[in-house]
Amino acid sequence: MKFTRITVNPAQMGGVPCIRGLRIPVATVVEMVAEGMSVDEIIKLYPDLEPEDITEVLCYMCHLKRN
């Protein structure tokens, strides 16, 4: 499965998976979702994010869990 919105760059954020090259780690978004935040609330905190980013983060985490 290819994830176009998840980037891993060893020179950025220590190689932690981030969203679209932004300095927003996937784990940060996962934690916010786990805390019960809505997509709108997350985007309000991180206006560079798009709803599709959050959807892909969740798909990415499901993919990692299965493998």
Side-chain angles (χ1 to χ4, degrees):
M1 182 172 232
K2 183 159 173 109
F3 297 97
T4 59
R5 293 175 174 266
I6 308 298
T7 55
V8 178
N9 179 349
Q12 180 183 20
M13 302 287 290
V16 171
C18 291
I19 300 165
R20 289 185 291 115
L22 302 170
R23 294 182 180 275
I24 303 171
V26 165
T28 298
V29 176
V30 170
E31 289 171 11
M32 290 188 286
V33 170
E35 290 174 3
M37 292 180 71
S38 70
V39 171
D40 290 336
E41 290 171 322
I42 295 168
I43 290 173
K44 193 172 190 178
L45 284 176
Y46 293 94
D48 290 333
L49 291 180
E50 299 170 353
E52 296 83 9
D53 295 326
I54 297 164
T55 300
E56 186 155 311
V57 162
L58 297 176
C59 290
Y60 177 74
M61 293 309 293
C62 287
H63 177 75
L64 288 181
K65 183 144 175 95
R66 289 183 192 153
N67 293 318

